[in-house]
Amino acid sequence: MGRSLDSEPVPNRERLSGRRVLIIGGATGIGREIVLWFGREGAALVVGDLNLDGASKAAEACRAIGARAFAVRADVRSEPENRALVEEAVARLGGLDVLVNVAGVMRAGAVDAITEEDWGFVFETNVRSQFQTVKYALPALKESRRGSIINIASGAGIKGGPGITLYAASKGACVVFSRTLAVELGRFNIRVNAICPGFVDTPFNDPVIEYLGGRSEVDRIVGSSIPLGRQASAREIAPYVAFLASDEASYVTGQAILIDGGMI
């Protein structure tokens, strides 16, 4: 059910021309599709990820279509590595106009099964890393005077669900972090928004699929709770991120944009 993926929008080849972009968590899934979309729209890119092989392949795919793209290995749980990643991106690109924080992890399970280690790992990866990369990117974004920060949150950060208490709490923090930053940074003409996907068909969601009882049960839940009757593809998220990075979104800030097929 729902519209065919054949009707997906196509990239605007010039929309992001001249934009200098750091995408963190761009090796796989939604992040990789964002990297490829930005490359098609003419951006110059640094792809940061712990998975250097995946980041390198994404950057190579962008170079194959004529975009400037570099891959840098970084563990977002490490403040020194986050700082070094931002500094290298600014050096390679000659500045920075757009920061996209995609890196994240999923942990699923009942709330009384969550450990202190789980809590720390998820919040360090999903929330603290965004704070650190924003902090270190701010000088370059202020200099840009057309800065855009896009943090990938989740529909779970708007409305929780069974077995995702920890994940939802971390993504709710991303939403509030983004909205508050928008107020603080508006005077520098830096826009800040959060993207909140719903069910997206990538291996990232394997832990929650297992918790909910397997793929067939998730398909049943999707069919009964999402008006469009299906999960999204990662390709369906990327154009919205590119829009928020572009001049077309010059008056859009402080938003948590749901892309969830009508679920919420």
Side-chain angles (χ1 to χ4, degrees):
M1 298 176 65
R3 71 176 176 85
S4 166
L5 297 189
D6 292 338
S7 62
E8 287 181 0
V10 296
N12 179 338
R13 299 290 178 178
E14 300 296 326
R15 181 163 62 170
L16 297 180
S17 178
R19 286 297 201 280
R20 299 160 298 180
V21 181
L22 170 57
I23 299 175
I24 302 174
T28 60
I30 291 174
R32 177 180 170 83
E33 291 300 329
I34 293 170
V35 169
L36 297 179
W37 197 278
F38 273 59
R40 295 182 190 112
E41 295 212 344
L45 301 158
V46 167
V47 185
D49 205 292
L50 182 62
N51 176 1
L52 181 58
D53 181 61
S56 298
K57 289 177 179 176
E60 183 179 352
C62 289
R63 290 194 296 271
I65 57 173
R68 289 180 62 215
F70 311 92
V72 179
R73 183 192 181 280
D75 182 350
V76 299
R77 296 179 65 210
S78 164
E79 180 173 14
E81 292 192 29
N82 281 330
R83 183 171 190 166
L85 170 60
V86 173
E87 290 175 349
E88 183 165 353
V90 171
R92 282 182 176 267
L93 300 175
L96 192 66
D97 303 301
V98 181
L99 170 65
V100 184
N101 279 308
V102 189
V105 292
M106 165 71 79
R107 290 289 186 271
V111 66
D112 55 358
I114 296 170
T115 66
E116 292 292 328
E117 290 76 16
D118 289 335
W119 188 274
F121 180 73
V122 170
F123 267 79
E124 286 171 5
T125 308
N126 294 1
V127 184
R128 191 175 70 176
S129 68
Q130 292 190 0
F131 152 68
Q132 290 174 352
T133 55
V134 167
K135 175 182 176 179
Y136 294 122
L138 269 181
L141 291 172
K142 288 177 181 179
E143 186 176 339
S144 165
R145 295 299 302 175
R146 59 174 184 177
S148 178
I149 300 169
I150 303 126
N151 295 322
I152 304 303
S154 171
I158 306 296
K159 178 183 178 181
I164 57 169
T165 298
L166 172 52
Y167 178 73
S170 73
K171 291 303 186 177
C174 294
V175 169
V176 177
F177 177 59
S178 301
R179 285 175 164 163
T180 306
L181 275 178
V183 176
E184 181 174 337
L185 301 181
R187 64 194 177 100
F188 303 109
N189 200 38
I190 297 173
R191 297 178 295 103
V192 189
N193 293 283
I195 291 285
C196 299
F199 275 98
V200 181
D201 194 8
T202 74
F204 180 84
N205 288 319
D206 286 350
V208 74
I209 290 173
E210 180 180 354
Y211 178 81
L212 292 173
R215 182 74 187 217
S216 60
E217 178 60 16
V218 168
D219 288 344
R220 185 194 67 77
I221 293 170
V222 167
S224 64
S225 64
I226 298 179
L228 290 184
R230 62 174 177 84
Q231 298 188 62
S233 74
R235 286 179 295 157
E236 290 178 285
I237 309 302
Y240 294 90
V241 183
F243 164 73
L244 290 174
S246 75
D247 289 338
E248 293 174 11
S250 59
Y251 204 59
V252 180
T253 195
Q255 302 305 305
I257 298 175
L258 281 162
I259 308 174
D260 69 349
M263 182 171 64
I264 300 177

